[in-house]
Amino acid sequence: GENVEQHPSTLSVQEGDSAVIKCTYSDSASNYFPWYKQELGKRPQLIIDIRSNVGEKKDQRIAVTLNKTAKHFSLHITETQPEDSAVYFCAARVSNYQLIWGAGTKLIIKP
Amino acid sequence: ETGVTQTPRHLVMGMTNKKSLKCEQHLGHNAMYWYKQSAKKPLELMFVYNFKEQTENNSVPSRFSPECPNSSHLFLHLHTLQPEDSALYLCASSQDLGQGGEKLFFGSGTQLSVL
């Protein structure tokens, strides 16, 4: 069946450095790829998304890149700050309502 | 309160109990979802409703029974659960199911423990 692999499961970076999280999907028909952030004890919230007709999208310190040929997409966070500490989930849409999710990456920002 | 509200926040139940989870969205959305979140595992889609009609039952055991009386309310009725059903149950809504309306707004979840 369809799946999304997310790496790494845990990422620890120094405050101010960049963080990169990668996801690989299996369904070549996937056309929408969101990223959600879940802080400890809180609800997941959409932080950025990208569609298959775009290769890159930026929003301030956050960017997402998509390589359709290789079927992978990545989240880039620059100039990391303590409030970036959270679990990040990637997903790929395989139908009108079905998102296949990655297992999550715990991002730790070291002061 | 705006957004998506879930009650209760925490629930402990025995395997023979019957309980219900409630979700309410104040966003005017047409689609609502139940997700199961277990530690270090991907989010699992359980049920999808669009305009009160169920569009997906993702091979969920019958001990989980959803109910959607209107586009703003969603319930998950639980009975004879198993310990492995212990998890965070998240409700979400989106404007609709199609492209452009798929952004999910999540509730804070119900942390369920089955003893």
Side-chain angles (χ1 to χ4, degrees), chain A residues 27-73:
Chain A
D27 188 346
S28 57
S30 296
N31 60 6
Y32 174 70
F33 309 90
W35 286 89
Y36 283 77
K37 173 184 180 183
Q38 187 175 26
E39 296 177 50
L40 187 63
K42 296 190 176 181
R43 69 194 73 194
Q45 291 189 299
L46 179 72
I47 55 171
I48 195 167
D49 55 12
I50 192 168
R51 301 191 186 279
S52 56
N53 59 346
V54 176
E56 183 177 5
K57 184 176 179 180
K58 289 183 180 179
D59 183 3
Q60 299 182 339
R61 297 186 296 109
I62 294 173
V64 56
T65 58
L66 172 65
N67 183 327
K68 286 190 295 182
T69 303
K71 290 193 287 187
H72 67 71
F73 56 112

Side-chain angles (χ1 to χ4, degrees), chain A residues 36 38 43 93 96 98, chain B residues 37 45 97 102 104 108:
Chain A
Y36 283 77
Q38 187 175 26
R43 69 194 73 194
R93 185 168 66 180
N96 255 1
Q98 176 81 305
Chain B
Q37 185 175 33
L45 178 64
L97 297 183
E102 65 273 86
L104 293 174
S108 296

Side-chain angles (χ1 to χ4, degrees), chain A residues 4 31-32 36 38 41-46 49 51 53 89 93 95-104, chain B residues 4 9 33 35 37 40-43 45 48 55-56 58 88 90 97-100 102-104 106-108:
Chain A
V4 172
N31 60 6
Y32 174 70
Y36 283 77
Q38 187 175 26
K42 296 190 176 181
R43 69 194 73 194
Q45 291 189 299
L46 179 72
D49 55 12
R51 301 191 186 279
N53 59 346
F89 295 94
R93 185 168 66 180
S95 74
N96 255 1
Y97 46 78
Q98 176 81 305
L99 285 173
I100 304 298
W101 297 80
Chain B
V4 181
R9 289 297 304 274
Y33 312 73
Y35 277 94
Q37 185 175 33
K40 298 185 179 181
K41 291 178 66 176
L43 282 166
L45 178 64
V48 181
T55 58
E56 177 70 18
N58 218 19
L88 181 68
L90 289 164
L97 297 183
Q99 182 169 327
E102 65 273 86
K103 178 180 176 182
L104 293 174
F106 285 92
S108 296

